[in-house]
Amino acid sequence: MHRYRQPEPTADQLRMLRQRLGSVHVRQRLGIEHDHAVDLFGHGRLLHPENWLSAQSLLRALTRISGMAALGRPLARRHRVHRRDVGVPGLPLSLDGLSMLHLTDMHLDMAGDTTDALIDSLAGVEADITVMTGDYRARTYGPIDPVLRHMRRLRPHLPGDCFGILGNHDCLAMAPAFEGMGIRMLLNEALSPRDGLHLIGVDDPHYYRVDSLERAMTGLPDGGCRVLLAHSPEIFRQAAHAGIDLMLAGHTHGGQVCLPGGFAMIYDCDCPRRYCRGAWRYREMSGYTSAGCGTSLLDIRFFCPPEIVVHVLRAVDSQ
Ligand SMILES: [Fe+2]
């Protein structure tokens, strides 16, 4: 059982986290992390794919034997790097052209070469700020030392100030460790890295459901533009009605193993398909759900390349 336990923050880290996030959030996060590990290997939800470890092994064996692994593994390391302009109401003219590198679902410890492939693809990618929307670890449980080692190697390749949130594969103990590497984690918190640019980050809304836009946005000044980092797009309605201008998300992997033409067989996301991949819009809010940089469960991709996105923010006339 020991190797499946979730690592816990140290006593000092716990004090800091409670002070910053509130004792209820910390208690919920750590409590659900613990229950998740117990559920997976105890008497939990037997039909969840992650719980069915023998099925995972069988699937991996099948992909190896069928040759799908040999085809799909290289495809999972060939990142599509692209820049896109996005009009953001409220963005001051002085910030027109500000670029934001968006990485998500890196699952850095999935395989020995996952991080190397990402570092190679990031060569020459320029941006003013880096944002990461969760899922740094391959598994949803177990040790975090491997992912911390990989992140230490990746960090020098991330341009500008760096911000992150936690996904459903991550645990709270990773947050102070990442902050020690100069990555500011936003756990139902907000920061303004530039005058007129408010960056808001919520904890995982998919599995942990301990996201609180209300807590994150309390005390934000009026005006400027509001960019939300959320692991999954599932809270798009709440975000739009909270006055978010741009929402950046991941989690879906774009389907990861898709049919020809890129049609996703499954998104594992409780929201309409149009919000599960690429650019979308809901009411006045723009959104982007990245297909992610890495893989989970199976280390392959088909008809769904991993992506590295640079969002170039453009001031728009909101009249
Ligand atoms: Fe993921």
Side-chain angles (χ1 to χ4, degrees), residues 210-225:
V210 284
D211 54 300
S212 172
L213 270 171
E214 189 179 349
R215 185 179 171 94
M217 296 177 74
T218 297
L220 269 185
D222 290 335
C225 83

Side-chain angles (χ1 to χ4, degrees), residues 53-184:
L53 295 180
S54 55
Q56 281 186 44
S57 308
L58 184 67
L59 271 175
R60 284 195 194 108
L62 282 175
T63 55
R64 236 184 356 256
I65 294 161
S66 66
M68 283 176 73
L71 285 172
R73 267 181 67 102
L75 295 174
R77 282 142 182 79
R78 209 169 295 157
H79 298 89
R80 173 181 173 240
V81 183
H82 62 118
R83 291 174 82 86
R84 61 180 292 267
D85 283 357
V86 54
V88 189
L91 187 77
L93 269 175
S94 57
L95 294 183
D96 182 73
L98 185 101
S99 53
M100 208 174 262
L101 169 64
H102 177 197
L103 304 174
T104 191
D105 298 273
M106 292 182 273
H107 299 288
L108 293 169
D109 53 336
M110 183 69 180
D113 62 343
T114 303
T115 306
D116 295 312
L118 183 57
I119 290 172
D120 286 350
S121 298
L122 281 169
V125 174
E126 292 180 357
D128 298 307
I129 287 175
T130 297
V131 298
M132 302 185 289
T133 49
D135 274 12
Y136 311 94
R137 181 169 63 174
R139 290 177 168 167
T140 54
Y141 58 88
I144 58 171
D145 292 346
V147 72
L148 297 184
R149 266 199 311 276
H150 286 290
M151 184 56 87
R152 236 168 256 125
R153 290 185 47 233
L154 176 67
R155 178 65 185 96
H157 303 273
L158 306 177
D161 292 337
C162 197
F163 303 89
I165 55 170
L166 295 178
N168 60 302
H169 281 244
D170 307 318
C171 61
L172 192 57
M174 289 159 63
F178 281 0
E179 295 202 328
M181 300 177 205
I183 299 165
R184 177 61 158 91

Side-chain angles (χ1 to χ4, degrees), residues 179-229:
E179 295 202 328
M181 300 177 205
I183 299 165
R184 177 61 158 91
M185 300 302 285
L186 297 171
L187 303 159
N188 299 335
E189 297 170 296
L191 274 177
S192 304
R194 301 279 196 283
D195 266 354
L197 173 67
H198 309 303
L199 208 51
I200 297 138
V202 288
D203 200 350
D204 171 47
H206 173 72
Y207 177 79
Y208 286 95
R209 297 190 190 177
V210 284
D211 54 300
S212 172
L213 270 171
E214 189 179 349
R215 185 179 171 94
M217 296 177 74
T218 297
L220 269 185
D222 290 335
C225 83
R226 294 160 183 228
V227 178
L228 172 65
L229 310 180

